[in-house]
Amino acid sequence: DFKVPHASRYPSPILSLGLSPDCGTLAVGMADGTVSMRRHDRPRAITVGPSAAPQRRRKYTPRLTAANFRFFIRGQNERAAASDHMVAAQRRARLTPYDRLLKQFRHRDALTAALATKHAEVVASVLEELAARGGLDQALGGRDAAGLLPLLRFLIKYIGQPRHSKLCCHVAHRLLDSYASVVGLSPEVDGRLVALKDRLAEELRVSSALMELQGALEPLLAASLAGTLQ
């Protein structure tokens, strides 16, 4: 049978109740807004004999949970033992300036930063990425003479290389379409455009000469192959 060993009376209905971790304090909230705090007085330790030392109350140590800041920094100052398995911390990869600008959708600034590196692979990669994103017109437009000169130097230098010729021709077409109405305002830009025209004319002459040479060699190679088969 269950028996009630102790009871407490309160003047109003109880809405909330709380007990301290050491079970020494009882807090009760009632419907009329009254809060009652009751503390349990523990009996003092009885000493036996004159030399008996009094018992000390053990200090309450709160439980370390995620609500405490020390929970997240625990073990940081501990040294690993020889038998512990150590995991190397992964360093965060640092983005290059043009990658960071591409991430921020600043296409014009990203192309300018790529041209500042003076590496053809970097500039070509950024131009291909801009073309894939549909931001090539934004990256090429809105430039002054100082912003156009590095791009024109890149086109003049690498438009004849087979690795970058297709991309450079596409960029050159888009560039001329964007700035055709302002040609003649800057002597430096006009000089670079003339140099680009001369470079293209030279590449066309070389390509025409190579095609003529190929056409002259094909009958000779065909006749030599026919004679070998006979």
Side-chain angles (χ1 to χ4, degrees):
D1 296 336
F2 294 98
K3 295 182 180 180
V4 179
H6 181 75
S8 298
R9 294 181 178 275
Y10 294 93
S12 297
I14 298 174
L15 297 181
S16 60
L17 184 144
L19 192 65
S20 64
D22 59 353
C23 299
T25 304
L26 177 66
V28 177
M30 289 169 278
D32 58 352
T34 305
V35 178
S36 174
M37 303 287 291
R38 293 187 178 182
R39 185 175 181 83
H40 177 67
D41 294 332
R42 296 183 179 180
R44 297 180 180 179
I46 301 175
T47 59
V48 180
S51 61
Q55 296 181 358
R56 293 183 178 180
R57 180 183 297 179
R58 186 174 61 181
K59 186 178 180 181
Y60 170 71
T61 303
R63 184 180 178 183
L64 193 61
T65 61
N68 196 321
F69 176 72
R70 293 188 295 110
F71 177 83
F72 300 97
I73 62 174
R74 65 191 190 282
Q76 291 187 0
N77 297 327
E78 299 292 334
R79 293 185 178 181
S83 59
D84 292 341
H85 177 70
M86 300 181 62
V87 179
Q90 296 182 356
R91 294 185 178 181
R92 187 176 180 181
R94 297 183 60 183
L95 296 177
T96 54
Y98 49 86
D99 284 332
R100 186 164 56 252
L101 293 171
L102 282 175
K103 190 176 181 180
Q104 299 173 0
F105 297 96
R106 296 168 59 183
H107 297 159
R108 186 183 304 109
D109 297 335
L111 180 56
T112 302
L115 290 169
T117 61
K118 298 182 180 180
H119 291 288
E121 291 77 9
V122 173
V123 179
S125 300
V126 172
L127 287 173
E128 291 176 354
E129 181 65 23
L130 291 173
R133 293 186 179 189
L136 188 57
D137 291 335
Q138 180 184 358
L140 298 178
R143 292 178 176 271
D144 54 1
L148 285 175
L149 290 176
L151 183 57
L152 289 174
R153 294 193 196 99
F154 172 79
L155 295 177
I156 294 170
K157 186 175 181 180
Y158 295 102
I159 198 169
Q161 295 187 7
R163 184 177 180 181
H164 305 296
S165 59
K166 184 177 180 180
L167 176 64
C168 290
C169 288
H170 178 67
V171 174
H173 279 292
R174 303 288 285 271
L175 192 66
L176 291 175
D177 291 340
S178 301
Y179 294 94
S181 59
V182 294
V183 173
L185 298 180
S186 174
E188 295 181 353
V189 174
D190 295 343
R192 295 297 176 181
L193 291 175
V194 172
L196 180 61
K197 177 184 176 182
D198 296 339
R199 182 64 185 273
L200 288 174
E202 181 183 356
E203 291 296 326
L204 290 176
R205 287 194 298 269
V206 172
S207 300
S208 178
L210 291 176
M211 293 181 66
E212 292 178 0
L213 181 60
Q214 181 181 3
L217 290 175
E218 283 183 355
L220 299 176
L221 295 176
S224 176
L225 181 59
T228 304
L229 294 176
Q230 292 179 356

